[in-house]
Amino acid sequence: MPSFDIVSKTDLTEVDNALRNIEREIATRFDFKGSQCRIERLESTLTILADDQPKMKQMHELLKAHLARRKVDVAALEFKDPERASGDKIRQAVIVKQGIDRDLAKRLVTALQDGKLKVQAAIQGDELRVSGKKRDDLQAAIALIRDMKIDQPLQYVNFRD
């Protein structure tokens, strides 16, 4: 029975490479001269530390641009509210989304069931396995999910015939 998995994974090594490139650019740019701006990663959380609001905005632009260059989808980032840090600085947490959460998985399953497609969807941890009798049904399921315009990047992997 043909099947495929729907996953949402972000390559953290590419995120690390982008962060190193951002550090180099901050060190050479004139508008960041003498500032204490930096981005750190701990697990799947990025912490942006900036001197003031305009520099925070510049850091956002740098982060988005460098991640796009490394072919990491910027939609995988969830920006939290900025907060005051010590020394009159601004700190902001950015979550790198990994996996499909329960709510999104349930939405995808109900969309596949409401689409009257001849496929079955099963939630397996942070993945979703879709199986059907025909390859055409699976391709229709992928098209249906792509048309949903979900704000989290999804990958369709492990396609088996």
Side-chain angles (χ1 to χ4, degrees):
M1 182 181 266
S3 68
F4 69 92
D5 293 336
I6 302 173
V7 298
S8 178
K9 299 208 184 295
T10 305
D11 191 4
L12 293 178
T13 56
E14 290 297 331
V15 172
D16 286 339
N17 291 337
L19 293 181
R20 279 192 222 99
N21 290 340
I22 290 170
E23 286 176 18
R24 274 190 233 111
E25 187 168 339
I26 287 173
T28 59
R29 277 181 52 165
F30 182 74
D31 55 344
F32 284 109
K33 191 161 188 94
S35 70
Q36 300 294 320
C37 298
R38 65 179 184 272
I39 301 178
E40 301 166 346
R41 182 178 79 84
L42 184 65
E43 299 294 320
S44 64
T45 303
L46 304 176
T47 304
I48 302 174
L49 190 67
D51 293 339
D52 50 19
Q53 196 61 38
K55 283 200 174 56
M56 178 65 78
K57 188 173 181 199
Q58 286 291 322
M59 297 288 282
H60 286 180
E61 296 300 320
L62 281 174
L63 182 64
K64 290 176 184 176
H66 281 275
L67 286 176
R69 283 184 204 156
R70 305 296 304 183
K71 296 194 177 23
V72 175
D73 198 346
V74 182
L77 301 178
E78 179 183 340
F79 290 91
K80 299 292 183 184
D81 292 331
E83 57 190 32
R84 284 272 176 223
S86 64
D88 223 17
K89 296 186 186 332
I90 300 173
R91 178 185 310 130
Q92 185 175 23
V94 180
I95 307 296
V96 180
K97 296 178 188 174
Q98 294 278 34
I100 299 174
D101 62 337
R102 274 279 201 236
D103 298 331
L104 179 59
K106 287 180 182 178
R107 266 184 43 212
L108 293 174
V109 168
T110 55
L112 288 172
Q113 289 172 348
D114 292 345
K116 304 290 188 222
L117 298 174
K118 295 180 181 178
V119 295
Q120 294 83 31
I123 300 171
Q124 297 178 338
D126 60 348
E127 296 181 354
L128 191 70
R129 170 144 309 155
V130 180
S131 58
K133 290 186 179 180
K134 296 181 185 174
R135 175 182 280 188
D136 294 340
D137 295 336
L138 297 180
Q139 290 172 344
I142 291 174
L144 177 77
I145 292 173
R146 281 194 176 141
D147 289 341
M148 287 178 63
K149 303 286 190 250
I150 297 171
D151 59 345
Q152 186 172 346
L154 299 175
Q155 293 89 31
Y156 308 96
V157 297
N158 205 11
F159 197 92
R160 296 184 182 179
D161 223 358

